[in-house]
């Protein structure tokens, strides 16, 4: 197992590269979901204002 | 061939509904394929004779680089469709591509820098491939910046579409830079005229990760495009019905 994580001594390069790539995917997914949630909230607010007026 | 199916996508309610149904399939498929590709790239692929285990960075660097180009091309084609046929959904798709493109390009550049240190002995080189990839990032950022600088949505659509189309000239430069100029960056190993220069045991995780990134891109793009369509038409009658449907079904 230790050999696997050591990556033949290249662990300071391999693991940060993978961590960055996966963090990038996760961050972008979170941002997109948050954007859609906010757009829905905003649309609901706008519709509620229309109904009141 | 009937183009009716394509024209239907120009309707925001139709696009919002269909994108909501498709998005989760893309998202879950991408997640499964990423996990399988990680296992393939980190565990199953044999050690490279020249680069040892450092070569495994290829499985995150190359798909991100491919997707950066694909995202830009999708953005430019959507922007052109929006500009020529005045389809607002096409502009929404272009808008949705840009932030994902920034992420893919940044991941491509930074993982490339990390890979460059053990293989080239430097974090950065003013190499044609790297510099053209950096310009790709500037085009994405320029597109986002230009849009946010213009208040009128129609003018923002038109101006940013022109910038996206102009920037397409950089796509073949990125792709063929390693063939056109003497470059520190290695020549293509997969997309070659003859067969790929990688054995199958190393190749399949790369192809699978590229497919995973592609599905992931479609998921992100659809989620963002739905948000953009909703933002543009908020207050519309169809939005009321769509939101009620979302609340009932909990779509992505």
């Amino acid at each position: 197992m230790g050999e696997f994580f050591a990556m033949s001594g290249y662990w300071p390069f391999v693991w940060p590269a993978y961590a960055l790539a996966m963090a990038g995917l996760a961050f972008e997914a979170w941002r997109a979901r948050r954007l859609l949630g906010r757009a829905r909230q905003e649309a609901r607010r706008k519709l509620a204002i229309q109904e009141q007026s | 061939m009937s183009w009716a199916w394509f024209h239907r996508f120009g309707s925001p309610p139709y696009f919002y509904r269909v994108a909501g149904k498709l998005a989760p399939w893309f998202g879950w498929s991408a997640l499964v394929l990423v996990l399988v590709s990680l296992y393939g790239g980190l565990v199953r692929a044999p050690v490279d004779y020249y680069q040892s285990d450092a070569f495994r960075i290829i499985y995150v660097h190359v798909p991100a680089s491919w997707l950066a180009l694909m995202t830009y091309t999708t953005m430019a084609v959507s922007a052109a469709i929006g500009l020529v046929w005045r389809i607002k959904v096409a502009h929404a798709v272009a808008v949705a591509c840009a932030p994902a493109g920034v992420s893919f390009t940044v991941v491509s550049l930074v993982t490339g820098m990390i890979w460059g240190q053990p293989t080239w002995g430097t974090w950065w080189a003013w190499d044609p491939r790297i510099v053209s990839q950096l310009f790709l990032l500037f085009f994405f950022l320029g597109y986002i910046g230009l849009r946010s600088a213009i208040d009128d949505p129609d003018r923002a659509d038109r101006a940013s579409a022109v910038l996206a189309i102009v920037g397409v000239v950089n796509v073949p430069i990125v792709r063929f830079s390693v063939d056109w100029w003497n470059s520190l960056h290695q020549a293509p190993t997969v997309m070659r005229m003859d067969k790929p220069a990688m054995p199958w045991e190393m190749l399949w995780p790369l192809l699978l990760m590229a497919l995973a990134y592609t599905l992931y891109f479609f998921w992100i793009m659809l989620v963002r495009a739905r948000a953009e369509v909703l933002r543009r038409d908020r207050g519309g009658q169809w939005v009321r019905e769509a939101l009620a449907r979302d609340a009932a079904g909990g779509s992505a």
Side-chain angles (χ1 to χ4, degrees):
Chain A
M1 204 61 171
E3 200 179 315
F4 170 72
F5 285 110
M7 285 283 155
S8 309
Y10 288 103
W11 67 268
F13 305 102
V14 176
W15 294 118
Y18 273 78
L20 176 89
M22 293 304 119
L25 295 182
F27 177 66
E28 197 52 49
W30 172 75
R31 274 206 319 171
R33 297 273 307 170
R34 193 182 62 157
L35 187 75
L36 182 58
R38 283 189 174 177
R40 281 176 178 153
Q41 255 180 5
E42 183 66 23
R44 277 194 203 100
R45 205 170 58 83
K46 180 96 178 182
L47 288 169
I49 292 170
Q50 274 181 356
E51 274 176 15
Q52 283 170 3
S53 59
Chain B
M1 183 181 167
S2 169
W3 286 90
W5 66 271
F6 181 74
H7 292 141
R8 274 206 296 273
F9 275 100
S11 153
Y14 182 80
F15 176 85
Y16 186 86
R17 192 173 67 245
V18 174
K21 284 181 183 163
L22 291 176
W25 290 96
F26 285 122
W28 288 112
S29 312
L31 181 65
V32 170
L33 289 185
V34 163
L35 294 175
V36 176
S37 312
L38 285 176
Y39 173 71
L42 288 169
V43 180
R44 300 297 297 174
V47 176
D48 184 69
Y49 180 77
Y50 293 105
Q51 297 189 30
S52 186
D53 277 314
F55 102 96
R56 294 185 198 279
I57 296 172
I58 197 173
Y59 298 113
V60 285
H61 170 69
V62 170
S65 309
W66 285 347
L67 256 291
L69 288 180
M70 194 183 112
T71 305
Y72 195 89
T73 308
T74 308
M75 184 177 90
V77 169
S78 304
I81 290 171
L83 194 64
V84 174
W85 286 288
R86 299 185 180 190
I87 300 173
K88 287 194 187 303
V89 170
H91 284 300
V93 169
V95 170
C97 287
V102 171
S103 291
F104 288 136
T105 314
V106 167
V107 168
S108 160
L109 284 168
V110 178
T111 54
M113 288 166 69
I114 295 171
W115 199 4
Q117 179 59 27
T119 51
W120 300 343
T122 181
W123 297 101
W124 183 265
W126 293 102
D127 170 275
R129 168 61 69 85
I130 302 170
V131 172
S132 54
Q133 189 78 4
L134 185 64
F135 273 107
L136 191 72
L137 177 64
F138 292 155
F139 274 114
F140 279 125
L141 293 175
Y143 179 90
I144 294 168
L146 185 61
R147 286 200 67 86
S148 59
I150 302 172
D151 290 332
D152 177 32
D154 291 335
R155 277 189 60 217
D157 282 345
R158 284 197 300 274
S160 58
V162 170
L163 178 66
I165 294 163
V166 169
V168 156
V169 76
N170 189 47
V171 171
I173 295 176
V174 176
R175 170 68 184 82
F176 295 108
S177 53
V178 288
D179 300 321
W180 291 342
W181 294 289
N182 283 326
S183 174
L184 192 58
H185 197 282
Q186 71 184 66
T189 45
V190 179
M191 293 190 181
R192 296 150 50 105
M193 296 300 280
D194 52 350
K195 67 175 188 166
M198 284 176 95
W200 177 247
E201 306 83 68
M202 289 178 167
L203 185 61
W204 74 261
L206 182 61
L207 297 178
L208 211 59
M209 189 65 99
L211 179 62
Y213 267 65
T214 307
L215 294 171
Y216 169 84
F217 161 68
F218 280 117
W219 175 55
I220 290 291
M221 185 267 285
L222 289 176
V223 172
R224 279 189 170 276
R226 291 184 85 208
E228 181 64 20
V229 164
L230 210 56
R231 196 186 63 77
R232 286 167 184 245
D233 274 2
R234 60 175 181 251
Q237 181 54 37
W238 73 267
V239 173
R240 187 187 305 275
E241 292 158 16
L243 289 177
R245 216 173 23 245
D246 283 353
S251 66

